[in-house]
Amino acid sequence: MSFGTTDLTMPGSPMTQRLPYFNIAKHDSKRDGPLTDLQYGYLLNQGLNSATTPVTNGHFRSRVFKLVSDHLKLLADNKEESTSIGTGPRADPIIPPLTPDDTGMVPSPTVSTYTAYISPWVDLCSTNPLIASISRQVLNLEVNYANFCGVRSIIIAGPSRDASLNGGNQALAQYSRAVQEVLTIGSALTVVIHMPMYREPITGQKAETLSSLLQERSSDQPASKEVDLFAAWASWHHVRSICSYNFRLLVALQMPRVMAEKDLQTRWFAEPLQYLTIGPEVFQKNKSGFPSLSKQHQEMMFSLMRLKAAPWILLCDVGPDASNFKVNDPEILSVANRPALTGDDFPSLADAAAISTSQTSHSGADAHMAYLQWLESRQPPMTALESSTLTSFQDWLQSPLQPLSDNLESATYEVFEGDPVKYDQYEAAVIEALTEWKELDLPTSKEGVVVIAVAGSGRGPLVTRAMKAAEYTGVEVEIWAVEKNPNAYVYLLRQNQILWGGKVNVVKTDMRAWKGPVAHQSSDGPIYGKVDILISELLGSFGDNELSPECLDGIQHVIAKPHGISIPRSYTAHMSPVSTPKVYGDLLARSATETTAFNTPWVVRLYALDYVCQKVPDHPRFQQAWEFSHPIPESTLANVDDRRSGGIMGGGGGSMAGAAGANDHNSRYCHVTFVCRSQGVTHGLAGYFESTLYESKLERQKGEKVEISTHPERIDQKSKDMISWFPIFFPLKEPISFPADTELEVSMWRQTDDTKVWYEWLVEAWTWIGESSRIKRVGYYTYPRPAEKVQEEWTSRWVMLCRVIE
């Protein structure tokens, strides 16, 4: 019961058949100025949604290059080393203000629809003080002017080097500092960093930058044959970390010619992508001569389009060209009369290598656009889990529900009832239980009928399913609905009149205070009986986080012995370290006003995430934390009663001194190790659960179970398309960055002091430096503040893990 949304789209709804759509923009690196209105209109008519524009032109570039060249010559004449990094005073030249000759951009209604591309010839990563200073001046000057003209977003070429080579640490520090300054200057601008997915070997001529003016190029080394696939991502991570995960800092990800391995794709999938850029080298010709993308490129594109904030596709130096646009051009006017393209025009690329490069392609400037529009229609349709409503909850932080301490609204109950998968599984579990009860001829607590109690009935969906199961199996049942919410109690009474025909006994009470079904009345008052099957849906996103163990302990005394059944029978909690930059950035912003933001496990539909560890022998990607089973042994209940009555010496429950320890049996601890083969960063732990609702008692069916699961690797086998629970997220206040071949060790505690329950978690990064030795890189421990200092908050909004249980 950890999902607080409304208006769910269920399987079979027309909304499940919708397709993601493409927003496509155009970037021309050779264009020297903004598009004219006619040129821009032409691109829009070709199906594009936007375009980029340079801020300055060739005249400004020539002026800056001359300024730098003259100053370098002056330094050489004075016998000063142009590449030295001095600590003494120096007089770098100052770039004069822009003039009308330097830029064609002016404030206009259309300029706000453009994305400004900062001059790519600056070198913010240069180790030369002069080049770095001039580059930063150009950057700030262009950002200032673009901001003045009304541009809403800018693109900056990514760092030219990574930390692993040729002074990369200094270069990244300078680059990050410059970007941080831009975010301050353009306080309303979205800043997009153009990053490659990885550093592909350079083919062709290297782009000319201000550093090209330096005469000493002996430091250039031949490119390494070994490519560090994660180096570019690490550079981006460095920049955004320095900029404190600013929500206005995004990525334009360059699609590589050769698609990278899945681990790197999912790493970038988790990042805040604004654009997916595609250059001419990525396209290949198919049999018909049309530009096409490989299957791997298509799959990556399709997955990105399912993000709530799907990236735009930015065609770089490819696609419709407006530079030669002329009014009344016959070819342009004939576009509308061209025959529609079909799938026959875009066959598979399986044999693309065999196609002759001299094969004539289809004419027309819109060939790439036509292909992308066709590709858009070839996407797999949205599933039930990708409905508009569920998509809107991607990576959105929700305060966990507290149904034990709060009275939920009808709309919240209605959301739960909109998930047929969960209730189908519950109904299947009751059917199996009743069938086997009859087949095994087990005794019942009331003669002739199986007594069923639904604890925490809400608006009664489990009551309805229990009645259907009884009808299906032909077993006589007596059903009791127990609910503490006074408002839901009224609804249950109405349901009993209208839907259930008065066959249900509705009781308003906290389940832990319920004495059991009334067997008959006597002169001394009611005589209470027992329950054969106890049904509840108290599970949370981590299984036990909504105090299902404590609640079921409190009502267990009504279960008949020895054959009484609890549905669910058991549940396990599972977790995995994840990288979730968007969620972490949101928490970082919240922490300015919410001091407990990083001490709170949040319910989140984690979507743009990367599971940073890999599956290796004895160390799976998702590992079990602990398990709870019901009913618990009678000896345990007897021990609990003794502790509460003071019959056991010592006390000391959980970690809180002085407690009687009556709830110690529900405390838990785990220590698990995850293996990370690639470098990365973790922002916290993603939590899931699995539950066995019913396990067969028949010898011939021993081990057969009815289950539900949110475990990412097993949900499709156990409860496909179940949407009732989002994952839980245990955040880290400080992200843990780690190198390749690191072990992340996680310790977690479920603590209790008899009146409250909370979690504590410790994450440590260890790196092996030898066959039998390793070093600890960093560790982060999260725990709640002392309870005695925040007594009111323990029962307030943030503590779904610290709920009053007594």
Side-chain angles (χ1 to χ4, degrees):
M1 293 175 61
S2 298
F3 178 34
T5 66
T6 58
D7 188 28
L8 296 184
T9 303
M10 298 312 304
S13 167
M15 286 298 292
T16 62
Q17 296 303 310
R18 69 185 182 92
L19 298 177
Y21 57 86
F22 292 174
N23 283 309
I24 307 174
K26 178 70 165 49
H27 171 65
D28 187 352
S29 62
K30 297 179 181 179
R31 188 165 3 105
D32 202 37
L35 295 165
T36 66
D37 289 346
L38 286 175
Q39 289 174 331
Y40 193 35
Y42 163 70
L43 291 181
L44 296 180
N45 287 336
Q46 294 294 307
L48 291 165
N49 302 94
S50 183
T52 65
T53 183
V55 180
T56 57
N57 55 28
H59 181 274
F60 178 71
R61 179 182 183 279
S62 299
R63 187 156 65 91
V64 173
F65 267 68
K66 184 177 186 305
L67 180 69
V68 174
S69 181
D70 290 346
H71 193 77
L72 288 173
K73 185 175 184 302
L74 179 63
L75 292 176
D77 291 342
N78 293 331
K79 297 182 180 180
E80 292 184 28
E81 291 291 335
S82 63
T83 57
S84 65
I85 305 176
T87 57
R90 67 174 191 273
D92 290 334
I94 304 299
I95 300 177
L98 294 176
T99 69
D101 292 334
D102 295 326
T103 178
M105 180 185 289
V106 294
S108 69
T110 58
V111 76
S112 62
T113 66
Y114 288 128
T115 296
Y117 204 106
I118 300 302
S119 294
W121 41 264
V122 300
D123 188 0
L124 297 168
C125 288
S126 176
T127 56
N128 180 279
L130 172 63
I131 300 300
S133 173
I134 295 298
S135 295
R136 192 170 65 254
Q137 288 184 54
V138 172
L139 174 65
N140 292 344
L141 200 148
E142 293 192 351
V143 168
N144 260 311
Y145 186 69
N147 192 42
F148 164 77
C149 290
V151 169
R152 295 178 181 175
S153 62
I154 61 170
I155 300 178
I156 305 175
S160 58
R161 64 192 69 168
D162 302 314
S164 55
L165 291 172
N166 300 333
N169 284 330
Q170 176 190 344
L172 284 176
Q174 291 181 172
Y175 185 95
S176 302
R177 169 67 177 78
V179 173
Q180 189 179 47
E181 193 172 20
V182 166
L183 289 166
T184 303
I185 294 172
S187 58
L189 284 175
T190 297
V191 179
V192 184
I193 308 299
H194 198 174
M195 295 293 305
M197 180 176 284
Y198 65 94
R199 304 285 184 184
E200 290 187 285
I202 298 176
T203 57
Q205 189 174 2
K206 189 176 180 180
E208 185 181 24
T209 67
L210 285 173
S211 294
S212 304
L213 296 174
L214 298 175
Q215 295 180 359
E216 297 179 357
R217 308 302 296 169
S218 58
S219 60
D220 287 348
Q221 299 177 0
S224 174
K225 294 182 180 180
E226 183 178 348
V227 177
D228 182 354
L229 289 178
F230 288 85
W233 172 85
S235 295
W236 153 251
H237 175 57
H238 181 283
V239 175
R240 62 98 174 276
S241 297
I242 295 298
C243 296
S244 301
Y245 286 76
N246 193 300
F247 68 92
R248 292 186 290 115
L249 184 62
L250 307 174
V251 177
L253 182 62
Q254 180 182 330
M255 189 176 281
R257 183 175 57 85
V258 179
M259 187 53 65
E261 59 187 41
K262 282 290 184 180
D263 283 351
L264 182 59
Q265 291 184 45
T266 56
R267 180 67 54 82
W268 282 110
F269 180 82
E271 301 297 341
L273 302 181
Q274 178 73 5
Y275 290 105
L276 180 65
T277 70
I278 310 178
E281 70 282 354
V282 180
F283 289 96
Q284 304 176 44
K285 287 184 179 180
N286 61 17
K287 288 182 177 180
S288 299
F290 271 96
S292 300
L293 296 175
S294 72
K295 182 179 179 181
Q296 291 73 25
H297 288 84
Q298 293 179 32
E299 288 175 350
M300 176 188 173
M301 185 182 296
F302 291 165
S303 65
L304 291 174
M305 292 306 139
R306 281 164 156 70
L307 289 165
K308 176 172 64 175
W312 285 43
I313 297 172
L314 183 62
L315 293 175
C316 298
D317 297 324
V318 70
D321 184 6
S323 59
N324 297 320
F325 171 76
K326 299 177 183 178
V327 181
N328 298 326
D329 188 327
E331 183 178 347
I332 301 302
L333 295 176
S334 67
V335 169
N337 299 322
R338 292 175 187 166
L341 298 171
T342 67
D344 294 336
D345 294 308
F346 301 106
S348 170
L349 282 174
D351 55 351
I355 299 175
S356 172
T357 56
S358 63
Q359 181 175 341
T360 304
S361 65
H362 283 247
S363 62
D366 62 341
H368 293 86
M369 281 299 302
Y371 173 70
L372 290 177
Q373 290 166 351
W374 174 81
L375 201 61
E376 181 181 37
S377 68
R378 301 294 295 176
Q379 298 178 92
M382 295 288 201
T383 66
L385 299 181
E386 294 170 327
S387 66
S388 297
T389 301
L390 288 178
T391 298
S392 68
F393 281 91
Q394 287 180 10
D395 303 309
W396 185 64
L397 295 167
Q398 299 179 77
S399 299
L401 295 176
Q402 300 193 53
L404 184 61
S405 58
D406 300 335
N407 290 323
L408 304 182
E409 298 179 354
S410 178
T412 304
Y413 287 120
E414 187 175 359
V415 171
F416 304 147
E417 297 163 17
D419 181 2
V421 178
K422 174 177 71 173
Y423 292 107
D424 285 347
Q425 292 297 94
Y426 264 94
E427 182 177 339
V430 179
I431 288 175
E432 289 298 316
L434 290 175
T435 300
E436 294 188 8
W437 199 290
K438 180 171 62 174
E439 188 170 342
L440 294 171
D441 195 23
L442 299 177
T444 59
S445 57
K446 186 173 183 179
E447 187 176 353
V449 297
V450 175
V451 180
I452 298 177
V454 179
S457 301
R459 300 201 318 174
L462 284 180
V463 175
T464 301
R465 294 303 186 115
M467 296 182 73
K468 288 182 177 180
E471 181 181 357
Y472 179 83
T473 57
V475 176
E476 289 293 326
V477 298
E478 179 181 287
I479 298 181
W480 292 76
V482 182
E483 176 56 50
K484 74 169 186 64
N485 186 338
N487 307 307
Y489 171 70
V490 176
Y491 189 90
L492 288 171
L493 292 176
R494 188 178 300 277
Q495 288 289 85
N496 199 24
Q497 293 174 349
I498 299 174
L499 183 63
W500 303 325
K503 298 178 181 178
V504 178
N505 303 283
V506 182
V507 180
K508 182 202 169 296
T509 183
D510 187 313
M511 68 179 72
R512 297 166 295 171
W514 189 44
K515 296 181 180 180
V518 177
H520 59 271
Q521 295 286 346
S522 71
S523 57
D524 296 329
I527 303 298
Y528 298 101
K530 297 294 184 180
V531 170
D532 298 313
I533 301 177
L534 178 67
I535 308 172
S536 66
E537 52 175 332
L538 306 173
L539 299 173
S541 294
F542 205 47
D544 58 84
N545 60 282
E546 292 188 6
L547 296 189
S548 177
E550 285 74 19
C551 291
L552 292 181
D553 283 356
I555 197 176
Q556 179 173 320
H557 66 278
V558 306
I559 299 179
K561 305 177 185 64
H563 303 297
I565 294 171
S566 172
I567 298 177
R569 179 183 181 276
S570 64
Y571 35 93
T572 54
H574 304 258
M575 60 183 169
S576 182
V578 295
S579 173
T580 57
K582 295 179 183 178
V583 172
Y584 178 79
D586 192 358
L587 283 171
L588 202 59
R590 284 174 179 251
S591 64
T593 55
E594 298 182 33
T595 58
T596 59
F598 283 104
N599 289 345
T600 304
W602 298 86
V603 170
V604 191
R605 192 194 176 204
L606 295 172
Y607 195 84
L609 84 164
D610 176 34
Y611 297 107
V612 297
C613 61
Q614 284 74 41
K615 183 178 180 180
V616 298
D618 300 323
H619 297 290
R621 174 169 280 183
F622 302 92
Q623 298 192 39
Q624 180 175 318
W626 46 66
E627 180 179 13
F628 287 90
S629 298
H630 301 285
I632 61 175
E634 287 299 315
S635 59
T636 302
L637 279 183
N639 186 274
V640 168
D641 291 337
D642 287 341
R643 287 177 179 268
R644 284 176 176 165
S645 63
I648 293 181
M649 298 296 293
S655 63
M656 311 300 290
N663 197 42
D664 274 7
H665 64 287
N666 284 324
S667 64
R668 294 289 188 273
Y669 166 71
C670 73
H671 182 87
V672 293
T673 301
F674 299 91
V675 177
C676 305
R677 290 176 172 169
S678 305
Q679 63 173 301
V681 60
T682 180
H683 301 98
L685 305 169
Y688 307 90
F689 80 93
E690 293 191 296
S691 176
T692 297
L693 299 180
Y694 182 78
E695 184 173 3
S696 177
K697 295 182 178 180
L698 296 175
E699 285 299 327
R700 68 175 184 274
Q701 295 178 202
K702 209 68 172 177
E704 290 191 11
K705 304 175 183 178
V706 180
E707 299 174 282
I708 55 176
S709 173
T710 64
H711 190 298
E713 294 179 338
R714 298 199 283 256
I715 183 173
D716 285 351
Q717 291 78 31
K718 298 183 178 183
S719 49
K720 182 176 174 58
D721 292 337
M722 186 176 68
I723 58 175
S724 288
W725 290 274
F726 289 164
I728 196 169
F729 179 64
F730 298 91
L732 299 179
K733 188 172 183 179
E734 297 292 337
I736 296 180
S737 297
F738 51 84
D741 299 322
T742 292
E743 291 182 344
L744 293 179
E745 295 197 1
V746 178
S747 299
M748 182 173 281
W749 295 262
R750 187 184 198 263
Q751 298 279 44
T752 176
D753 69 347
D754 292 352
T755 62
K756 296 172 290 292
V757 173
W758 68 95
Y759 297 116
E760 299 172 11
W761 56 99
L762 168 67
V763 182
E764 301 170 285
W766 295 85
T767 300
W768 289 95
I769 58 175
E771 291 185 3
S772 58
S773 61
R774 62 179 188 167
I775 58 172
K776 179 179 176 180
R777 304 193 64 85
V778 69
Y780 186 74
Y781 181 49
T782 301
Y783 54 90
R785 293 176 293 172
E788 64 272 13
K789 294 183 180 180
V790 287
Q791 187 63 38
E792 292 182 0
E793 287 194 32
W794 283 108
T795 57
S796 69
R797 172 196 78 68
W798 78 277
V799 194
M800 74 72 175
L801 41 106
C802 308
R803 207 167 279 136
V804 175
I805 62 174
E806 220 179 53

